[in-house]
Amino acid sequence: MSGIYWLASYPKSGNTWLRSFLSNLQQDGDAPADINELATGTIASARDWLDEALGFDSADLSADEIDRLRPAVYRWSLRAPEVGYHKIHDAYTLIAAGEPLVGRDATLGALYIVRNPLDVAPSAANHWHVSLDEAIARMGLHDMALASDGKKLNKQVRQKLLSWSQHVLSWADAPGLNRLVIRYEDMLSAPIATFTQAARFLQLPCDAARIGKAVRFSDFQVLSRQEAEKGFRERPAKAERFFRQGRSGGWRSQLTAAQAARIVADHGEVMRRFGYLDAAGQPL
């Protein structure tokens, strides 16, 4: 069997942690997998992947033209004899003729990680090297996109994020998509059960001993120590650290009351759906 399982999330929602777990699960080694050599495939927006599949340089194409070609790029992956697991931050959007950006033919399913936007905001601010207010504003933009600066050639092509709420719903409610939605908070509070569920969905080994070891080897402290010792190539140039805290609820000491209220105002409906607000609209 061949095809792609997408490891999807809004930025700073636990995607790297999930991929570290999957690498440790697949390798089943005696030491933690190297964070700079994760076994999962390249990100969906990598320009090198697109150029290799297309057979020409995509630099002269517009972002919209590249979007229209991306389903064909992922169909190219069907030539591989094995299943691929690829990170993606794009929202689940439709292109020409109603085809999903990720394509139908190559997609086996998607595992989507959702995280409390109150905690996403401080982490995203650090990652994007902007103020908290700017990060919160970006999370509310309906046309938010990454790598959208046409003045320079990025290693990644444009990724339409949309707003945080739109991003979550685009994957969680995508019609006809084989999906599993897991919460970052459950990865923290119930790691064995949550990662076992993820492994089973992705058709990977899920025996208890192997899951337990992969969870230990992908613990936040292990990832943070590896970054401190040898760096992490996915860390943005302007960010001091990639692995910062690895916990939930940190927003309470990082956001002002006004900032938290703005996030709730922007995303309350989706936050309530995924258990981040109580019936009265207060953060849990």
Side-chain angles (χ1 to χ4, degrees), residues 176-194:
L177 177 66
N178 175 34
R179 80 179 69 77
L180 172 67
V181 179
I182 61 175
R183 301 194 324 159
Y184 178 89
E185 294 74 21
D186 296 328
M187 293 163 67
L188 284 169
S189 65
I192 299 299
T194 305

Side-chain angles (χ1 to χ4, degrees), residues 65 71 87 151 154 260 272:
E65 288 171 330
K87 170 183 176 179
K151 298 180 181 179
N154 287 289
R272 186 174 292 106

Side-chain angles (χ1 to χ4, degrees), residues 34-51:
D34 189 332
I35 58 172
N36 290 306
E37 301 293 339
L38 297 180
T40 51
T42 187
I43 189 170
S45 53
R47 189 178 295 276
D48 287 349
W49 184 9
L50 274 63
D51 289 354

Side-chain angles (χ1 to χ4, degrees), residues 35-208:
I35 58 172
N36 290 306
E37 301 293 339
L38 297 180
T40 51
T42 187
I43 189 170
S45 53
R47 189 178 295 276
D48 287 349
W49 184 9
L50 274 63
D51 289 354
E52 181 183 1
L54 294 171
F56 59 84
D57 193 335
S58 62
D60 294 329
L61 299 178
S62 70
D64 287 341
E65 288 171 330
I66 291 173
D67 279 356
R68 289 194 290 271
L69 290 170
R70 285 175 67 175
V73 169
Y74 307 134
R75 280 195 295 273
W76 182 72
S77 70
L78 290 170
R79 304 189 314 168
E82 68 279 343
V83 173
Y85 301 92
H86 293 273
K87 170 183 176 179
I88 185 168
H89 282 323
D90 302 78
Y92 188 92
T93 57
L94 302 179
I95 57 172
E99 182 173 18
L101 178 73
V102 297
R104 291 193 181 93
D105 299 337
T107 296
L108 296 172
L111 193 162
Y112 186 82
I113 311 170
V114 61
R115 185 184 186 187
N116 190 335
L118 293 167
D119 278 324
V120 170
S123 189
N126 175 75
H127 191 73
W128 293 332
H129 200 62
V130 299
S131 70
L132 266 170
D133 287 332
E134 175 62 20
I136 292 168
R138 291 185 183 187
M139 291 172 63
L141 291 175
H142 292 234
D143 59 353
M144 174 62 183
L146 300 177
S148 58
D149 183 0
K151 298 180 181 179
K152 63 179 181 179
L153 186 66
N154 287 289
K155 292 182 179 180
Q156 295 185 34
V157 299
R158 181 188 66 185
Q159 301 147 74
K160 293 181 179 179
L161 295 184
L162 313 180
S163 72
W164 178 86
S165 291
Q166 288 173 309
H167 192 283
V168 174
L169 296 180
S170 74
W171 286 96
D173 294 342
L177 177 66
N178 175 34
R179 80 179 69 77
L180 172 67
V181 179
I182 61 175
R183 301 194 324 159
Y184 178 89
E185 294 74 21
D186 296 328
M187 293 163 67
L188 284 169
S189 65
I192 299 299
T194 305
F195 282 114
T196 298
Q197 184 184 27
R200 184 175 292 115
F201 174 78
L202 297 172
Q203 302 187 64
L204 290 170
C206 54
D207 61 276

